[in-house]
Amino acid sequence: MDSCDVLIVGGGPAGSTLAWKLGNRGFDVVILDKSAFPRDKVCAGWITPAVTDLLRLDRDAYSREHILQPISGFKTGMMGGAGVLTRYEKTISYGIRRSEFDHYLLGRTNARLQLGNPLRTLQREHDYWIVNKSMKTPLVIGAGGHFCPISRSLRGDRERNGSVVVAQEIEFEMDASQRRNCQVRGDTPELYFCEDLKGYGWCIRKGNFLNIGLGREDNRALTEQVRSFCGYLKEQERIPSNCPANFRGHAYMLYNGASQATVDDGVMLVGDAAGLACPKSGEGIRPAIESALMAAEVILSADGDYQRERLLPYSSLLAGRFGKDGEAPGIFPRPLRRFISRRLMENSWFSRHVLLDRWFLNIHQEALV
Ligand SMILES: Cc1cc2nc3c(=O)[nH]c(=O)nc-3n(C[C@H](O)[C@H](O)[C@H](O)COP(=O)(O)OP(=O)(O)OC[C@H]3O[C@@H](n4cnc5c(N)ncnc54)[C@H](O)[C@@H]3O)c2cc1C
């Protein structure tokens, strides 16, 4: 039977970052992913500069072959309202295409890749796992995103239901006439919040690609809300009238405190599998990458002994970084909702300093060292 030092289930940003770190330290890592890459992932594709820094991404080199849309402003507001334009003097975010970004990150690991290959079976034998009846490993990482089977077996479905965002999204390449009729600028994505503040719609232009979507804390009439959001954007002439309508859905968990399990004997969860997305903005790529870096640190210091006690420092690192007691998750803090009015959302000071700087860009948070 084949064997490896660590087997990672899921080759998204969390899995590939962990493989990259461990591979650089001489670990024999296998990544198992049910999809063949490049694969698409339902996502707006907005990343903060912290992400490229953490990944030590050479932005110039990356942007020569892939889309890396600099963002230096946002238009925000309530659906149906006028909206506020906030500009920054520098690049404060980037737009990427997940099909390219995830493929690139996976490609630079020196892991052995088993793509198009889902996790089918996982058996415990003494201190080892036998994966898909063909691979023996002392450590399995659940990096399979929201529906990760390792996370389900560690946490059970009930625990995982607390704070789920459901979303629908479409990303397509605009033709010449659509490009002319698209008023959304690449450097200025647009975010429009639902009347009940339980979600928001976005419209992000990246080069010739347009990404439109809407995410909510409940899936009540989601399809209807997406349709009416697109209707609103067309009415305002923000997007071309002939945008395709084949939206795809996905879900993910917002971080809700450190009470849920993230490790067990020979197992760790990273990224969406651990439910780490930022409760206010829904940003999930940065927490996925940060969790992978913290997991790598703990794996390296465990020195081959992956009993639960040796892996528990990872849970403490997560709690230290993302908070021990999660605030009530929600795109807007629940206690504040009744004070947030349409007028406040159209106030430029609030939009810049609270909504964008604090809640979306997290500029107050120090870089992960
Ligand atoms: C509509 C939407 C918009 C979003 N927009 C943003 C955004 O703009 N910015 C941002 O930061 N975050 C965004 N997010 C969140 C972000 O997409 C996730 O937080 C991020 O992808 C998490 O990375 P990950 O590596 O943990 O999981 P994923 O990227 O989901 O990767 C998991 C991988 O595991 C594989 N896998 C799953 N099950 C199995 C199995 N059984 N066997 C083998 N492999 C398996 C999958 O094929 C996949 O490749 C958005 C999410 C949604 C739903």
Side-chain angles (χ1 to χ4, degrees), residues 8 10-21 31 55 102 105-107 109 143 292:
I8 302 176
S16 62
T17 301
L18 181 56
W20 169 61
K21 274 281 153 186
I31 298 182
L55 293 171
D102 291 17
L105 295 183
L106 195 60
T109 69

Side-chain angles (χ1 to χ4, degrees), residues 9-15 32-35 37 39 41-46 98 102 117-119 143-145 149 167 169 202 250-252 270-273 282-286 288:
V9 177
L32 197 71
D33 199 297
K34 65 178 181 183
S35 304
F37 279 60
R39 61 103 175 86
K41 159 80 181 70
V42 177
C43 181
W46 153 68
R98 288 295 297 270
D102 291 17
N117 193 4
L119 177 75
E169 169 255 38
W202 64 83
H250 197 61
Y252 64 120
V270 290
D272 273 8
E283 179 185 19
I285 298 171
R286 182 184 50 86

Side-chain angles (χ1 to χ4, degrees), residues 101-341:
F101 187 69
D102 291 17
H103 191 214
Y104 173 86
L105 295 183
L106 195 60
R108 71 177 188 163
T109 69
N110 53 14
R112 290 190 273 154
L113 304 180
Q114 296 193 0
L115 305 178
N117 193 4
L119 177 75
R120 290 192 193 85
T121 59
L122 185 65
Q123 291 149 296
R124 190 81 173 143
E125 276 186 16
H126 311 292
D127 289 346
Y128 282 88
W129 295 102
I130 307 292
V131 181
N132 286 353
K133 299 192 166 82
S134 59
M135 180 71 71
K136 185 176 166 185
T137 182
L139 182 60
V140 167
I141 307 293
H146 182 63
F147 298 104
C148 179
I150 310 281
S151 172
R152 286 176 165 208
S153 73
L154 194 66
R155 294 179 162 192
D157 277 334
R158 200 170 56 83
E159 251 194 279
R160 294 166 37 86
N161 282 337
S163 45
V164 175
V165 165
V166 287
Q168 288 189 9
E169 169 255 38
I170 189 168
E171 182 165 296
F172 64 97
E173 185 165 16
M174 292 184 284
D175 62 26
S177 106
Q178 287 171 324
R179 289 201 294 275
R180 276 195 305 278
N181 292 318
C182 180
Q183 296 302 314
V184 177
R185 286 170 44 159
D187 62 1
T188 315
E190 306 195 1
L191 310 174
Y192 299 93
F193 294 85
C194 302
E195 197 72 45
D196 61 5
L197 298 174
K198 286 189 175 177
Y200 65 89
W202 64 83
C203 194
I204 302 187
R205 183 174 184 165
K206 320 164 201 180
N208 291 341
F209 289 83
L210 192 61
N211 184 304
I212 306 167
L214 187 141
R216 284 185 58 79
E217 290 166 40
D218 58 33
N219 65 358
R220 201 161 35 90
L222 181 65
T223 303
E224 186 42 49
Q225 301 224 22
V226 171
R227 199 174 301 135
S228 99
F229 175 51
C230 281
Y232 164 71
L233 291 173
K234 285 178 188 169
E235 212 176 273
Q236 299 292 310
E237 298 181 346
R238 305 307 301 157
I239 60 172
S241 57
N242 61 348
C243 286
N246 46 333
F247 282 78
R248 296 181 310 144
H250 197 61
Y252 64 120
M253 257 192 298
L254 301 176
Y255 184 67
N256 190 16
S259 61
Q260 300 195 25
T262 46
V263 299
D264 205 344
D265 288 338
V267 189
M268 301 172 89
L269 302 180
V270 290
D272 273 8
L276 300 176
C278 174
K280 294 202 189 65
S281 62
E283 179 185 19
I285 298 171
R286 182 184 50 86
I289 288 164
E290 291 187 345
S291 66
L293 296 174
M294 291 187 268
E297 194 178 316
V298 172
I299 293 167
L300 289 167
S301 55
D303 206 17
D305 175 0
Y306 302 127
Q307 288 179 66
R308 182 170 179 276
E309 289 65 36
R310 295 301 297 270
L311 301 180
L312 272 176
Y314 171 63
S315 306
S316 310
L317 287 176
L318 290 180
R321 181 67 179 164
F322 302 120
K324 198 165 186 288
D325 307 308
E327 52 189 290
I331 288 160
F332 280 96
R334 277 180 200 156
L336 284 188
R337 272 184 202 159
R338 60 200 169 100
F339 301 108
I340 297 175
S341 60

